[in-house]
């Protein structure tokens, strides 16, 4: 009996140590939060266009059009990493003819318009979320975040942070490919 | 040049540590005096060299030597000198150096002061201490070198996070580390005893002062951290069950258990395997804390920069030290002879309950802290968090019975106690406690039942401590002058217990008062506005800009009145640090025994209010919160009193020729 | 520094610092407001380390505080409000883990440890008692004989 008690600390330490080893995996980001939206229908929201911009607003209805996976990017002019990400997204639209929608998060319309005029506007639609309420619907923790939504409105993927750098772009591209394949299997056009 | 000297000194310290890891313990096995005594010199040498390294780093900060990477990342020419000095231990590398320095200091102290410890035990202890030093020194030299240079040096440094530029926080790490690392020597003693295969009352006697010293520092360090959080963070909270806070609290809980368990081993020869296990556990939890803070495993405000690589190295250190000591324990513990027999109702029984409750509490906190990691691993990526609601709901009910037992314990005699007789002695304590609680209830209605229950227990503890002291000096049973004579001649360790246990009662009053009966007002204020809270009338007379050494602040002025009489002026500030580009809140507090009036100021979030020249004011009234700090001080004082007891000096007691002298129950 | 950390830092600094619960968020109805504060203390700020939305300075925290009050005003129960936020942010946003099969072990843990303590307590006394009942073994009996014989003869032990 005493032997059992005496061995217990060692056994517990080994088990806990195993979990620690798992936790130290360099690919694991302790700060990353899994999205509850994955494999769920896109949240209900309806945003007007950014005032002063020709680009139309964005609502849930636009996501269920059945035209292949759509990229929904949350951005703001005050978000410094979004600048770098902008080029990546523009390339996506131009090279692969990818449909790109945007949510302008807590941004003054004048600032957003100026920012887009300076960098270019690759977005087919932009919803203006001044209050941040739509952001909550999407489970937003910060900016930028980018979602891939399937043709039927199912949220397939979320990327947190700017899609900048070879590794990030690679990961996102793979996710986009997978989304397209999934969409085709669902019987939607692309 | 100085940083290179520092770096070289670390290398020399490592060399000495390597020698000390091998020679003394081998010498103990061979009974070779020369080799065993080498530990004296290597231990002293280590503390000298690590001290040189520490001084080198500190001088780099004092001189603002921006060729040293660590200085660039953590300091700035405009920082006040005190914080430049404190920045020495403000980073991962610097705090590791502090860790190693304290490790070396304790090793040297044992070498110098441990003249009454058996030479073989001492040699083995110093070797184990050296193993730990080797681990941390190699970690530092190979992955976290504080002396890395940068060329060309930048014009100025990046400044330390302004939130950390505070006197209280400057002292917090050194005190904590003296506590954490202080327990390393107890660990080394325990491992040495396991290697020797012998644990006895003499061992317990040697260990107790070291454990007590470490415990005193740890208590002070934790209390200081809480106090800092209270006055700095702006909303009057003092404990958040943050993973890193938990990780400093667990060694404290186990250290407390260790102190009490060692008493039983010393006096009755019982609890040997308990005491050894607690000695190992306490330091293991300290090491665990080091790991969690530096590895990026869990998210926390306190954590240093995330680096899984460093984490792997520390995990390796942990595996060797904790795994090794637990394995040694599993092998040797069953062979340790049991000590004196005792009945369940006895002083030993009470202390056993003490041990078990503290272990349950520690286990709960540990499990709650690590659970998010377990959950994520098992579900393959889902995350959840365990916050204050869980810890409060589990920890408090576990500790309450302990407070009750603490009151009863000192009245139980060793080996076999008469519960009825003890109960008789405590009859009036119970009555007075209930009476006092009813008085409190009459004065402040409306709190939850649990609040009053905890107050009842705190009164119980407080009055039972007084009753115990009265019993010892036979107050009201003998003449007053006789009682006074007895009081003067009571050993210091008796007063240590009295003061510390009373301190805990005081602490509990503070904890309950400030959390349960707290009141709060949050509003927009413009110049001239009046606010009423907890019987005070506060007038906001406006805000103006003031300058500090490295910040610009908006300082508000609040005049506090009660029943028309002016009491004080509060001046909360909102500071902006241009270099670090961040803002902090400096609250203004009026502290009295009855409670703290606490004010914080900030710019309003809404634009309309801001345009009107309004400010957001947060005023809290926290009753009795000062008792938390007073109680903590009493705990520390009690520990220090015990430490200065002549009989607790390091070393076995001299054999007395007269064996009949009565040893008072402690 | 991880990306998320960088993002939240920027979000906090550039969006203007709110200061935990703001006066303009406070509802007029004190009962609803008390419920809102209580619920806020149960929800974790997802961008800040270990703070509830009640005391966090982050923009997202403020949005969530406003959301909580809005839903309360629309008649949601406390549980409804919490579920609303949880559905969008996951279990992580709850300060107290939900009660579900995967977390049973956590909630039972304190009882488990207490139970182990109780077992340990009983084991200690059973062992002690059996030792006392055993008396001395034959070898020990012989030792005592030898010692008392020597003492009688006048040898010092």
């Amino acid at each position: 009996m005493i032997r059992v008690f005496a061995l217990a600390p060692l056994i517990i330490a080994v088990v806990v140590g195993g979990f620690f080893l798992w936790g130290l995996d360099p690919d694991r980001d302790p700060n990353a939060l899994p999205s509850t939206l994955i494999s769920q229908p896109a949240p209900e929201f309806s945003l007007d266009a950014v005032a002063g911009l020709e680009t139309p607003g964005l609502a849930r209805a636009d996501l269920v059009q059945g035209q292949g996976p759509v990229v929904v990017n949350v951005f703001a002019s005050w978000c410094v990493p979004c600048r770098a990400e902008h080029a990546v997204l523009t390339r996506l639209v131009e090279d692969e003819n990818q449909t790109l929608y945007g949510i302008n998060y807590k941004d003054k319309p004048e600032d957003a318009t100026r920012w887009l005029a300076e960098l270019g506007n690759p977005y087919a639609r932009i919803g203006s979320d001044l209050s941040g309420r739509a952001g909550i619907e999407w489970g937003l923790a910060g900016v930028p975040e980018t979602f891939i939504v399937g043709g039927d409105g199912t949220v397939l993927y979320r990327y947190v942070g700017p899609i900048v750098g070879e590794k990030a772009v690679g990961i996102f591209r793979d996710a986009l490919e997978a989304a397209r394949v999934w969409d085709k299997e669902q019987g939607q056009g692309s | 040049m100085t940083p290179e000297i520092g770096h070289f000194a670390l290398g020399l310290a490592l060399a000495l540590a390597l020698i000390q890891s091998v020679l003394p313990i081998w010498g103990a096995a061979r009974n070779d005096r020369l080799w065993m005594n080498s530990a004296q010199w290597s231990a002293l040498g280590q503390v000298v060299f690590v001290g040189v390294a520490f001084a080198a780093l500190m001088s780099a900060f004092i001189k603002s030597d921006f060729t040293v990477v660590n200085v660039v990342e953590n300091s700035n020419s405009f920082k006040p000198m005190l914080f430049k000095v404190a920045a020495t231990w403000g980073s991962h590398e610097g705090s590791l150096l502090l860790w190693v320095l304290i490790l070396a200091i304790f090793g040297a102290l044992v070498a110098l002061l441990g003249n009454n410890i058996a030479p073989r035990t001492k040699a083995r202890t110093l070797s184990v201490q050296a193993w730990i030093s080797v681990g941390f020194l190699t970690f530092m030299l190979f992955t976290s070198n504080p002396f890395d240079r940068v060329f060309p040096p930048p014009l100025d440094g990046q400044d330390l996070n302004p939130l950390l530029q505070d006197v209280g926080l400057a002292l917090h790490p050194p005190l904590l580390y003296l506590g954490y690392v202080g327990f390393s020597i107890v660990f080394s003693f325990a491992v040495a005893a396991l290697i020797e295969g012998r644990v006895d009352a003499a061992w317990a006697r040697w260990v107790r002062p070291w454990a007590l010293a470490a415990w005193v520092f740890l208590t002070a360090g934790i209390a200081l951290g809480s106090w800092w959080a209270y006055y700095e963070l702006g909303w009057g909270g003092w404990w958040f069950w943050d993973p890193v806070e938990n990780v400093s609290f667990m060694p404290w809980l186990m250290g407390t258990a260790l102190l009490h368990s060692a008493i039983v081993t010393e006096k009755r020869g019982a609890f040997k395997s308990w005491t050894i296990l607690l000695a190992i556990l306490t330091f293991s939890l300290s090491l665990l804390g080091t790991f969690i803070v530096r590895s990026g495993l869990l998210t926390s405000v306190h954590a240093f920069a995330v680096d899984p690589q460093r984490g792997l190295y520390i995990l390796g250190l942990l595996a060797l030290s904790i795994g090794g000591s637990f394995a040694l324990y599993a092998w040797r513990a069953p062979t340790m002879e049991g000590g004196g027999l005792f009945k369940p109702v006895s002083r030993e029984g009470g202390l056993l309950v003490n041990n078990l409750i503290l272990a349950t509490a520690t286990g709960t906190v540990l499990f709650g802290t690590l659970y998010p990691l377990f959950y994520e691993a098992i579900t393959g990526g889902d995350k959840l968090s365990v916050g204050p609601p869980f810890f409060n709901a589990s920890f408090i009910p576990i500790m309450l019975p302990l407070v009750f037992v603490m009151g009863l314990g000192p009245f139980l005699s060793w080996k076999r106690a008469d519960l009825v007789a003890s109960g008789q002695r405590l009859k009036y304590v119970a009555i007075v406690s209930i009476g006092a609680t009813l008085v409190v209830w009459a004065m402040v209605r409306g709190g939850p039942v649990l609040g009053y229950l905890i107050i009842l227990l705190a009164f119980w503890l407080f009055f039972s401590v007084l009753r115990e002291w009265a019993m010892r000096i036979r107050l009201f049973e003998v003449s007053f002058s006789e009682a006074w004579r007895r009081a003067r001649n009571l050993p210091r360790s008796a007063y240590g217990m009295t003061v510390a246990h009373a301190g805990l009662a005081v602490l509990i009053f503070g904890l309950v008062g400030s959390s349960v009966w707290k009141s709060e007002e949050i509003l927009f204020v413009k110049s001239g506005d009046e606010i009423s809270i907890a019987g005070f009338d506060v007038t906001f007379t406006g805000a103006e800009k003031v300058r500090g050494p490295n910040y610009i602040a908006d300082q508000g002025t609040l005049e506090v009145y009660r029943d028309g009489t002016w009491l004080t002026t509060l001046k909360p500030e909102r500071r902006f640090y241009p270099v670090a580009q961040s803002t902090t809140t400096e609250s203004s507090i009026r502290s009295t025994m009855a409670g703290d009036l606490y004010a914080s100021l900030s710019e309003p979030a809404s634009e309309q209010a801001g345009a009107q020249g309004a400010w957001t004011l947060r005023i809290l009234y926290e009753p009795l919160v000062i008792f938390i700090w007073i109680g903590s001080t009493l705990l520390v004082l009690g520990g220090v009193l015990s430490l200065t007891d002549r009989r607790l000096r390091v070393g076995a007691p001299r054999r007395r020729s007269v064996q009949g002298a009565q040893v008072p129950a402690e | 520094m991880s990306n998320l950390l960088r993002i939240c830092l920027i979000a906090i600094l550039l969006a203007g610092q709110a200061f935990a619960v703001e006066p303009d968020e406070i509802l007029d109805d004190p009962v609803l407001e008390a419920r809102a504060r209580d619920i806020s203390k149960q929800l974790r700020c997802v961008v800040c380390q270990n703070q509830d939305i009640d005391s966090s300075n982050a923009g997202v925290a403020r949005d969530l505080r406003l959301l909580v009050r809005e839903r309360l005003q629309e008649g949601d129960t406390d549980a409804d409000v919490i579920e609303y936020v949880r559905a969008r942010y996951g279990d992580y946003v709850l300060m107290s883990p939900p009660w579900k099969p995967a977390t049973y072990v956590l909630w039972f843990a304190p009882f488990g440890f207490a139970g182990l303590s109780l077992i340990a307590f009983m084991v200690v006394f059973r062992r002690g008692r059996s030792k006392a009942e055993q008396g001395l073994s034959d070898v020990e009996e012989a030792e005592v004989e030898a010692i008392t014989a020597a003492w009688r003869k006048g040898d010092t032990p």
Side-chain angles (χ1 to χ4, degrees):
Chain A
M1 191 68 191
I2 289 298
R3 264 256 128 78
V4 171
F5 271 125
L7 267 174
L10 181 62
I11 296 176
I12 296 174
V14 169
V15 170
V16 173
F19 279 105
F20 285 158
L21 198 57
W22 174 88
L24 286 177
D25 176 12
D27 286 331
R28 171 181 169 261
D29 180 3
N31 289 322
L33 285 181
S35 171
T36 52
L37 293 181
I38 308 291
S39 306
Q40 301 294 323
E44 190 57 57
F45 73 105
S46 171
L47 295 173
D48 295 331
V50 176
L53 213 58
E54 300 258 309
T55 323
L58 181 66
R60 185 178 187 279
D62 303 311
L63 298 175
V64 296
Q65 297 295 332
Q67 283 167 357
V70 161
V71 174
V72 178
N73 171 253
V74 184
F75 71 98
S77 63
W78 46 261
C79 157
V80 175
C82 298
R83 282 192 155 242
E85 187 185 52
H86 190 274
V88 174
L89 292 171
T90 313
R91 239 201 331 270
L92 220 57
V93 173
E94 289 172 358
D95 297 348
E96 303 181 24
N97 208 15
Q98 175 60 47
T99 320
L100 177 68
Y101 293 156
I103 296 182
N104 189 230
Y105 185 73
K106 291 192 177 174
D107 214 356
K108 292 207 189 74
E110 321 85 73
D111 295 337
T113 322
R114 203 180 322 126
W115 193 79
L116 287 168
E118 181 195 334
L119 294 173
N121 184 356
Y123 299 96
R125 289 179 169 278
I126 305 178
S128 173
D129 184 11
L130 287 166
S131 63
R133 183 50 58 83
I136 292 184
E137 293 301 321
W138 283 88
L140 218 60
V143 181
E145 284 188 26
T146 311
F147 297 84
I148 300 179
V149 183
D152 65 348
T154 313
V155 178
L156 298 171
Y157 182 78
R158 177 183 81 160
Y159 189 88
V160 173
I163 308 174
V164 168
E166 233 180 270
K167 187 168 176 211
V169 176
I171 293 174
F172 191 76
R173 275 225 141 85
D174 290 340
L176 201 49
E177 262 317 302
R180 286 178 185 143
V181 167
W182 182 89
D183 227 46
K184 275 213 177 66
E185 286 170 6
Q186 296 293 311
Q188 319 283 349
S190 177
Chain B
M1 188 58 199
T2 327
E4 272 65 46
I5 294 178
H7 196 185
F8 188 56
L10 277 183
L12 288 175
L14 177 60
L16 282 178
L18 282 167
I19 296 173
Q20 191 176 316
S21 304
V22 175
L23 238 46
I25 197 168
W26 203 349
R30 297 179 33 179
N31 221 348
D32 184 331
R33 270 291 165 131
L34 197 65
W35 282 18
M36 287 196 279
N37 286 345
S38 70
Q40 286 295 100
W41 300 106
S42 46
L44 290 173
Q46 268 192 71
V47 75
V48 165
F49 288 129
V50 179
V52 165
F54 194 76
L57 187 61
M58 193 179 282
S59 85
F61 272 98
I62 292 176
K63 287 186 299 192
S64 286
D65 180 353
F66 293 122
T67 64
V68 178
V69 174
N70 200 265
V71 179
V72 172
E73 289 175 349
N74 297 293
S75 191
N76 181 278
S77 346
F78 293 116
K79 230 162 48 146
M81 181 53 74
L82 171 64
F83 302 129
K84 281 186 189 166
V85 168
T88 313
W89 53 77
S91 65
H92 162 72
E93 295 83 358
S95 65
L96 264 183
L97 187 52
L98 181 64
W99 231 96
V100 172
L101 177 65
I102 297 176
L103 211 51
I105 289 176
F106 273 93
L109 282 175
V110 169
L112 282 175
L113 299 177
N115 298 320
N116 290 339
I117 308 176
R120 296 173 79 170
T121 311
K122 184 171 168 186
R124 287 189 173 112
T125 304
L126 287 175
S127 273
V128 177
Q129 190 79 346
W131 296 347
I132 307 173
S133 295
V134 166
F136 277 90
L137 278 167
T138 48
F139 178 55
M140 259 213 314
L141 284 168
F142 294 127
T143 74
S144 318
N145 185 5
F147 297 111
D148 274 341
R149 298 274 226 166
V150 64
F151 191 81
L155 282 174
D156 213 326
Q158 288 166 18
D159 209 6
L160 190 61
N161 186 344
L163 212 58
L164 306 179
Q165 287 184 34
D166 179 280
V167 183
L169 213 58
L171 284 177
H172 172 63
L175 281 172
L176 266 186
Y177 286 20
L178 279 167
Y180 281 156
V181 188
F183 280 114
S184 68
I185 202 74
V186 178
F187 173 85
S188 301
F189 269 122
V191 173
L194 282 176
I195 293 175
E196 244 167 61
R198 186 185 61 168
V199 178
D200 52 21
W203 177 88
R205 186 134 228 179
W206 291 324
V207 160
R208 252 176 89 194
W210 300 101
L212 198 46
W215 181 89
V216 164
F217 285 124
L218 191 55
T219 309
I222 295 176
L224 195 59
S226 274
W227 184 56
W228 174 82
Y230 170 72
Y231 70 72
E232 178 63 34
L233 294 183
W235 53 83
W238 31 261
W239 191 259
F240 309 95
W241 295 109
D242 181 81
V244 173
E245 284 176 316
N246 296 350
V247 124
S248 74
F249 191 46
M250 291 187 285
W252 187 86
L253 289 170
M254 292 279 85
T256 308
L258 172 63
L259 284 178
H260 292 82
S261 189
I263 296 176
V264 181
T265 306
E266 185 186 329
K267 292 201 182 309
R268 302 275 301 142
F271 287 14
K272 284 181 189 163
S273 43
W274 262 115
T275 307
I276 292 276
L277 182 62
L278 284 169
I280 298 178
L281 264 176
T282 309
F283 186 60
S284 301
L285 287 168
S286 303
L287 284 176
L288 185 68
T290 306
F291 172 67
I292 287 181
V293 172
R294 295 165 200 276
S295 63
L297 204 70
L298 299 171
T299 60
S300 157
V301 251
H302 283 83
F304 289 111
V306 169
D307 193 339
Q309 251 243 340
R310 286 173 174 165
L312 271 172
Y313 198 106
I314 306 183
L315 187 57
L317 270 177
L318 253 63
L320 283 173
S321 46
I322 301 180
S325 47
F326 279 153
L328 195 56
Y329 178 80
W331 174 43
R332 288 289 213 189
T335 65
M336 282 192 283
E337 289 156 22
L341 301 174
F342 54 91
K343 286 258 187 255
V345 180
S346 61
R347 183 78 63 91
E348 293 96 323
L351 285 170
L352 180 61
V353 168
N354 167 78
N355 270 359
L356 290 173
I357 292 184
L358 284 170
T360 305
T362 307
T364 305
V365 173
L366 182 62
F367 200 69
T369 307
L370 294 180
Y371 192 72
L373 182 68
F374 298 155
Y375 183 81
E376 193 190 328
I378 293 176
T379 61
D382 276 347
K383 294 210 183 192
L384 52 61
S385 66
V386 180
F390 171 79
F391 289 109
N392 286 332
S394 52
F395 185 77
I396 296 174
I398 293 174
M399 293 299 272
L400 292 181
L402 183 59
V403 180
F404 176 75
V405 173
M406 272 177 81
L408 177 60
F411 289 89
L412 300 175
S413 32
W414 292 102
K415 196 164 176 146
R416 170 182 38 224
D418 186 347
L419 193 56
V420 174
S422 310
Q424 276 292 94
R425 290 205 193 93
L426 286 167
K427 197 171 53 175
Y428 288 116
V429 171
I431 294 173
V432 171
S433 304
I434 294 176
T437 310
L438 287 173
V439 167
V440 168
W441 176 76
M443 291 190 332
V444 259
R445 304 282 184 94
V449 175
L450 185 63
Y452 294 111
L453 178 64
I454 300 179
I455 290 204
L456 173 63
L457 283 169
F459 273 128
W460 161 260
L461 178 59
F462 188 75
F463 288 126
S464 78
V465 163
L466 291 180
R467 177 73 184 91
E468 199 264 349
W469 177 72
M471 183 179 81
R472 277 218 222 201
I473 64 174
R474 293 193 172 285
L475 193 63
F476 304 135
E477 290 177 35
V478 297
S479 71
F480 192 67
S481 58
E482 170 64 16
W484 176 241
R485 187 192 70 83
R486 281 173 166 262
R488 270 184 301 128
N489 288 334
L490 275 182
R492 292 240 187 104
S493 50
Y495 279 112
M497 182 198 87
T498 306
V499 170
H501 283 196
L504 186 66
V506 171
L507 182 88
I508 295 176
F509 281 124
L511 295 179
V512 181
S514 63
S515 19
V516 170
W517 280 280
K518 178 165 147 170
S519 45
E520 189 177 27
E521 287 291 332
I522 307 171
L523 2 75
F524 289 133
V525 288
K526 292 193 293 288
S527 183
D529 283 350
E530 278 180 25
I531 312 109
S532 276
I533 179 172
F536 296 97
D537 301 303
V538 184
T539 312
F540 178 62
T541 59
E544 52 175 21
K545 286 228 182 288
V546 290
R547 262 188 176 278
N550 52 346
Y551 64 85
I552 311 168
D554 288 303
Q555 187 186 74
T557 310
L558 296 157
E559 304 292 344
V560 181
Y561 298 84
R562 180 156 54 200
D563 300 328
T565 342
W566 179 85
L567 289 176
T568 187
T569 310
L570 294 176
K571 287 186 177 283
E573 288 180 14
R574 188 95 169 121
R575 294 187 185 170
F576 177 66
Y577 290 80
V579 176
Q581 286 283 312
S582 69
T583 28
T584 65
T585 332
E586 301 296 317
S587 9
S588 186
I589 309 178
R590 174 185 180 265
S591 286
T592 62
M593 280 297 179
D596 278 18
L597 189 63
Y598 185 114
S600 309
L601 193 72
S602 114
E603 319 85 29
S606 92
E607 301 206 356
Q608 318 153 284
Q612 289 170 9
W615 293 87
T616 303
L617 180 68
R618 189 186 195 112
I619 293 198
L620 305 170
Y621 184 66
E622 297 205 16
L624 302 185
V625 71
I626 202 172
F627 281 26
I628 301 181
W629 322 124
I630 295 178
S632 310
T633 312
L634 286 174
L635 280 175
V636 170
L637 188 59
V640 170
L641 273 175
S642 272
L643 261 178
T644 56
D645 186 319
R646 230 176 325 124
R647 301 177 311 155
L648 232 51
R649 283 294 144 73
V650 180
R654 256 177 288 249
R655 300 260 120 88
R656 284 219 198 90
S657 45
V658 180
Q659 287 292 342
Q662 175 96 29
V663 178
E666 263 176 46
Chain C
M1 189 177 349
S2 80
N3 274 329
L4 186 57
L5 215 55
R6 198 180 294 137
I7 295 167
C8 91
L9 225 51
I10 293 166
I12 294 171
L13 292 175
L14 297 183
Q17 289 210 50
F19 179 57
V21 175
E22 285 277 313
D24 58 346
E25 299 167 18
I26 295 180
L27 297 174
D28 289 329
D29 180 347
V31 173
L32 279 182
E33 177 61 23
R35 280 171 65 196
R37 296 296 300 275
D38 190 56
I39 293 173
S40 301
K41 291 197 173 72
Q42 294 176 51
L43 293 173
R44 186 178 286 273
C45 168
V46 289
V47 297
C48 312
Q49 318 279 27
N50 206 39
Q51 275 183 311
D52 53 44
I53 60 173
D54 192 66
S55 41
S56 167
N57 292 350
V60 177
R62 180 177 153 84
D63 294 341
L64 283 169
R65 288 196 298 264
L66 288 168
L67 175 75
V68 164
R69 285 164 175 77
E70 206 182 274
R71 298 226 57 89
L72 281 175
Q73 281 175 319
E74 295 197 12
D76 276 6
T77 65
D78 288 6
D80 288 339
V81 175
I82 292 179
E83 179 52 33
Y84 190 97
V85 178
R86 197 202 66 78
R88 283 150 185 76
Y89 283 94
D91 284 343
Y92 182 82
V93 80
L94 302 174
M95 273 291 192
S96 199
W99 172 250
K100 61 184 195 192
T103 61
Y104 284 165
V105 66
L106 176 68
W107 289 103
F108 283 128
F111 297 104
F113 287 118
L116 281 172
S117 295
L118 214 55
I119 294 175
F121 191 78
M122 295 190 308
V123 165
V124 167
F125 288 111
R126 231 170 357 111
R127 209 162 80 105
R129 224 174 319 168
S130 62
K131 241 176 102 176
E133 281 157 13
Q134 264 166 28
L136 297 175
S137 69
D138 290 333
V139 177
E140 290 166 333
E141 204 71 60
E143 266 182 64
V144 172
E145 269 303 318
I147 293 172
T148 36
W151 178 76
R152 277 195 202 105
K153 278 211 290 200
D155 295 339
T156 44

